[in-house]
Every structure is written in structure tokens, then in C-alpha cells.
Amino acid sequence: MPCSTRSRGNFVPTSSRVASVPSASGEDALIARYFRPLATDPGAFRLDDDAAVIRPTGDDIVVTTDAIVEGVHFLPDDPPDTVACKALRVNLSDLAAKGASSAGFVLTQALRGADESWLKPFAAALGGDAVQFGCPLLGGDTVSTPGPLMISVTAFGRVPPGRMVHRSGARPGERVMVSGTIGDAALGLAVLRGGKVQAAVHDIAMRDMLVGRYRVPQPRVALAEVVRDHASAAMDVSDGLAGDLAKLCGASDVSAMIDLVSIPLSDAAQDLVSRRIVGLETLIAGGDDYEILCTIPEDRVEAFAAAARHAGVAARSIGTVIAGSGAPKFVDGQGKEIALERLSYSHF
């Protein structure tokens, strides 16, 4: 995890006595204090080496990476524990959508300073999630920056050989299904930013729920095996349901017909839509849902839904895969196609 003047982007050997060695670098001391206790996997070598080892099991190794940047993916005053959770969980969401179980992660962080009041809760929350989700810290890199804080996680998962679920397997006639509810995170961000959404949410518990969905995603790791056993194509919803569906359809060379009224909404989101505080387009293009979007052959829909319920996660059919290469179509309750001005969040 520490950065080194001798090698770029690698782990640096860190003595177990680093905290008491006067010549130890600030990075070494920071890592020894906050992050070495998280490196419990034998393959991490207590962060004492330049690399880690993932033990072979005969499974395929799935690799995914996501970075979160202050002011883009989290707000400057977001609590450090929620930043830690988000950094790891957005990657666990990707693994789950591929049908993979977690094997470990490496952490790269660009920090403005070694602020104990920030690092201590950050490391504690990261360690808690590492235990909760069975995804141990293996190493990484730490650097300083004068700019925005940046946390990047690369996560490793395992699937049986050849069983990773791709975006490219959807076929006409299959159902489009999504887990959980859509749009809560976008509303949570809107609450934090103030304005009409914040003013319209009077219930404190409802407000906390929306903010929580934005700050602390709930990766659907319980669905990994269910997705692997039943889905023909899958991905997680990170940039917005509409845009991510378009990506899945593009990879599969198909299109889709989506029933807007079938898209699952929380009570809070439904209330705001019914009062015309926000439109449904805002919810399906907002991003940060970290739900699983997948396509299921018709003869497996009931089994998929039942397995999802057994795993404690709701999953709902929202439309059908259709032939064609055009963008997915969204229709209202009367079957009228609705043209969306925006499909998803875009960095550029």
C-alpha cells in the first residue's frame, strides 16, 4: 500500500517495527497504523512485500476496479466511514453482477494529509466491510495530493471456470429484471445538495434512508450465485438504469422495451414522483443505485425471482429484450413511448 521512491505503484516492504523506527517514511507509519491490521489474508504478507498472492482454487479470477473522487462520487463533508464503505462496495457490486464471490482487494488512495480524525474511522469502516463481505485487503498504494481526495479499489472475485456472466448474452424474448429499487441514491444526493427535493422530504427517517442509499451502497452480493445460475447477461446499475441498460443491449446487439410503471421505486421515491417534485426520468438516469440489472430467459424467470427472494433481495421484471440495435424504448402505462433527454450520468 505505501508508495515508494524505488518503485511506482507497488507495495513497499514495511517492517513490523515501523512505528518505532525513526527512519520510517510517513507513508509506512500511516499504513502500519491504519491498514496493516486489515491485511489478514496470508497472501497479503502483512503488507511486507512488493506484491500479494491470491491462492489458486481452480476458479476463474474476476477483476474489477472503480475509483471514487471527492466532489464527483462523494461530497467533501461526507463522513469518512461512508467514503470507505462506498469505495469497496461499488466494486463488490460489480463482482456480484458477474456472478462472482469476493476474494480480496487492493486499495490506492490519494490523500491531502495524514489526518487521524479522518483516517481512523475510514480504516475502521473499511476493515468492517472487509470482514462483513469476506473481501480482505491485499495491499495497494498511498500517495499525497494537493487536489481532491481519491480512493481507488481493485477487487478480485472467483467464479467456476467459464461461468462469469457477461453483458453480451441477452437474447430477444428474455425478460429484463432489476433488483431492489431505483432512484433512491439520486434523491439522496439531491437532499444533500438542498433545493426542492430537500424541502419536499419532511420525514427524517425517509431523508436518512435516501442519503444512506447515496453514501453507503448495498451491493447485492447475495445474488451472485443466483445471477450466475439464471441470467444470460448482467451488470450493475452505477451510472443510471436507462444508460446502463443501453450498454447491456449494445454489448448483446439487441434492444429492449421497458414498462416505466414496472420500475421498482421506494415509497419515498414514489411519493416525490406522485407530487411532481421529480420526474421518473431523473430516477432512471441518476446513477449510484448499485442494483443488479439482468436478462433472464422466460423459462427461468420464476426460479430467478424465487431464488432472489430466498436470498432476501426483491427482483422485478421491468420489460422485454427485443430484436434490433436501437436504444431501449421506455413506454408509459398507456403504452406510449417516452423520449428520454438523458440516459445516465456521464463523466465527460
Side-chain angles (χ1 to χ4, degrees), residues 169-177 232 254-257 295-301 317 319-324:
R171 298 292 179 265
E174 296 179 341
R175 297 274 195 94
V176 179
M177 302 193 73
S232 58
V254 295
S255 188
M257 184 74 70
T295 56
I296 307 292
E298 187 67 38
D299 61 356
R300 296 185 186 175
V301 169
S317 172
T320 305
V321 179
I322 60 175

Side-chain angles (χ1 to χ4, degrees), residues 64-286:
T64 186
T65 187
D66 271 304
I68 62 171
V69 179
E70 181 182 38
V72 179
H73 304 93
F74 63 94
L75 300 178
D77 59 351
D78 278 352
D81 56 338
T82 68
V83 176
C85 291
K86 190 167 195 175
L88 180 57
R89 292 181 184 207
V90 299
N91 287 274
L92 296 177
S93 179
D94 276 325
L95 291 180
K98 300 297 97 184
S101 59
S102 56
F105 74 99
V106 295
L107 171 71
T108 297
Q109 48 190 349
L111 307 173
R112 284 190 293 271
D115 180 358
E116 181 176 8
S117 66
W118 195 92
L119 280 167
K120 186 174 181 179
F122 176 88
L126 190 65
D129 266 10
V131 172
Q132 178 182 341
F133 294 106
C135 191
L137 176 66
L138 299 175
D141 192 24
T142 296
V143 299
S144 64
T145 178
L149 199 99
M150 187 279 294
I151 310 294
S152 179
V153 166
T154 298
F156 303 90
R158 302 182 191 274
V159 294
R163 296 286 307 281
M164 189 186 92
V165 183
H166 299 264
R167 294 182 183 183
S168 57
R171 298 292 179 265
E174 296 179 341
R175 297 274 195 94
V176 179
M177 302 193 73
V178 69
S179 67
T181 56
I182 297 298
D184 294 327
L187 293 174
L189 177 58
V191 167
L192 290 170
R193 285 177 169 170
K196 65 178 183 179
V197 173
Q198 183 188 69
V201 181
H202 307 294
D203 185 271
I204 295 177
M206 187 177 292
R207 182 176 298 185
D208 288 347
M209 183 278 290
L210 295 174
V211 170
R213 284 296 303 270
Y214 171 69
R215 284 178 167 167
V216 185
Q218 301 299 317
R220 302 306 185 182
V221 295
L223 291 185
E225 185 175 357
V226 180
V227 168
R228 192 170 71 231
D229 288 345
H230 298 285
S232 58
M235 63 183 295
D236 75 334
V237 180
S238 56
D239 293 330
L241 174 65
D244 287 334
L245 176 62
K247 295 172 189 175
L248 187 150
C249 287
S252 296
D253 196 25
V254 295
S255 188
M257 184 74 70
I258 302 300
D259 180 9
L260 284 170
V261 299
S262 295
I263 294 173
L265 303 180
S266 67
D267 291 342
Q270 188 64 61
D271 173 66
L272 292 169
V273 170
S274 66
R275 289 194 281 145
R276 301 183 184 276
I277 306 299
V278 297
L280 194 55
E281 179 178 344
T282 298
L283 305 185
I284 65 176

